[in-house]
Amino acid sequence: MNRDHINNQLTLGVDTHLTSHVAVLINNIGQVVDTQEFPVCFVGYEKLYNWAKSFGNIKQAGLEGTGTYGAGLCKFLEDKGLKVFEVNRPNRAKRRLRGKSDPTDAENAARSVLANESTAIPKSHDGIVEALRYLVVARKSAVKARTQAINQIRALLVTAPEQIREACYVQSTCQCIAACKRLQGADDDVLLNTMAAMLNLLADRWLSLTEELRLIGKRLTELTKSTARHLLEQFGVGPYVAATLMVTAGDNPARLHKESSFAALCGVNPLEASSGKTQRHRLNRGGSRDANNALWTVALIRMRSDPRTRIYTAKRSAEGKSVKEIQRCLKRYIARELYPIMVSDLSVLT
């Protein structure tokens, strides 16, 4: 190990994984000081920190996956007073040129922080917003599973025997589920027995998921009323939309310096696509798609029911804008409108 860099300001880069983290130290002129691998546990975090400090003063750190595998290490380093930045994966062009390995990824993380390319402050993941994230994740999977259950029921009913199809294949989902629950097989018919048993099972699954969603919705409403009271007062914003937007912002909203940062997180900021004499913007397909969908929901509700938005929609339609283009404009305006309200609600919690 080269100890000539002890007096230097060092930058730490970490490539995070489920069971081990690979760390790289570089000095102020970009030279690699050392590389080590550490286990993912508190003892491993201590070893990593002591190893890094043994080479000198750690100026800053860049971590991949601060919201997943690197969450524990991120909090540990922040508790030690170290400035930690969130690092995105290297772009594919760089990976094709340099190859892919854990030490290379860790080195790229350190270099991106040293070059001020990665300046994003990680979410804290330690407050009520993190509790909202748990509910949002559970709700999303429950909605998807319930939709799959009713789709599977209808797919089975399409090819079911005539008497079962006539009894159960109705337009109302609740009536379809109730009919499937009442089904009974015939003692001497394997096909009918199996069909009835599977429809009973899928109906029970749908009912169970519906009850899960009711409980999640109740808890979500309680939490958002206590944490996002002013946000919920805005036209078109319900508990799920409010929770999704707050989860996107995080428990520490100070990391978002202005409303354009929040718009970028939601993927509603138009991107420059100008060339030569052509001046235009293109759709942003980045950011949180859940937050983007939440803003789309608000825009859709306002286009249908809010007088102010209906006037705006009519005006832009007369200018030749399509419905999708109007929705994109509305999402950007809604993000600008909701950001200070959301930050105000979140600042009360911190």
Side-chain angles (χ1 to χ4, degrees), residues 13-267:
V14 184
D15 183 31
T16 61
H17 296 278
L18 178 62
T19 58
S20 65
H21 295 333
V22 176
V24 169
L25 279 173
I26 63 173
N27 60 19
N28 279 339
I29 59 174
Q31 294 176 323
V32 176
V33 178
D34 196 17
T35 303
Q36 288 290 338
E37 184 174 342
F38 301 92
V40 179
C41 59
F42 184 79
V43 174
Y45 301 157
E46 285 278 6
K47 289 181 178 178
L48 188 154
Y49 181 72
N50 292 333
W51 162 80
K53 291 291 287 184
S54 69
F55 288 92
N57 185 29
I58 309 302
K59 179 182 178 182
Q60 55 199 353
L63 271 67
E64 287 189 9
T66 58
T68 53
Y69 296 143
L73 178 61
C74 178
K75 182 170 175 49
F76 177 87
L77 294 177
E78 287 178 335
D79 290 342
K80 293 291 186 179
L82 196 62
K83 183 178 287 187
V84 180
F85 296 97
E86 184 174 356
V87 178
N88 293 324
R89 290 180 300 174
N91 62 46
R92 293 182 178 180
K94 286 185 177 180
R95 283 194 168 181
R96 281 194 294 268
L97 290 172
R98 297 196 59 188
K100 167 74 174 74
S101 70
D102 294 341
T104 300
D105 287 346
E107 182 183 340
N108 287 335
R111 292 189 185 282
S112 67
V113 172
L114 183 63
N116 290 324
E117 294 174 354
S118 297
T119 57
I121 299 172
K123 295 179 181 179
S124 60
H125 296 286
D126 59 358
I128 296 179
V129 174
E130 183 68 1
L132 286 174
R133 187 179 73 86
Y134 300 155
L135 293 170
V136 169
V137 169
R139 183 187 183 277
K140 187 176 179 181
S141 63
V143 168
K144 184 177 180 180
R146 189 176 68 161
T147 302
Q148 288 178 334
I150 189 61
N151 287 344
Q152 288 166 347
I153 287 173
R154 295 195 182 280
L156 289 177
L157 289 174
V158 167
T159 58
E162 188 66 25
Q163 63 270 32
I164 294 181
R165 186 167 66 252
E166 288 182 356
C168 301
Y169 200 81
V170 292
Q171 187 172 4
S172 170
T173 297
C174 291
Q175 291 178 6
C176 177
I177 295 297
C180 290
K181 283 287 294 178
R182 291 193 299 267
L183 277 180
Q184 293 182 352
D187 295 336
D188 57 347
D189 193 322
V190 175
L191 178 62
L192 290 178
N193 277 336
T194 305
M195 174 67 71
M198 293 304 100
L199 289 174
N200 288 162
L201 185 148
L202 288 170
D204 286 337
R205 183 183 301 172
W206 189 92
L207 291 170
S208 175
L209 289 166
T210 299
E211 178 62 17
E212 280 187 26
L213 286 170
R214 187 189 69 81
L215 295 174
I216 292 171
K218 180 180 178 182
R219 183 62 174 157
L220 201 60
T221 301
E222 292 173 354
L223 275 182
T224 50
K225 281 183 177 179
S226 64
T227 59
R229 181 168 57 87
H230 297 98
L231 190 59
L232 285 174
E233 292 173 354
Q234 308 310 304
F235 198 103
V237 178
Y240 177 70
V241 168
T244 301
L245 295 178
M246 293 186 77
V247 167
T248 302
D251 282 295
N252 46 334
R255 72 194 189 94
L256 304 176
H257 302 295
K258 48 188 177 180
E259 58 86 18
S260 58
S261 301
F262 177 66
L265 275 180
C266 297

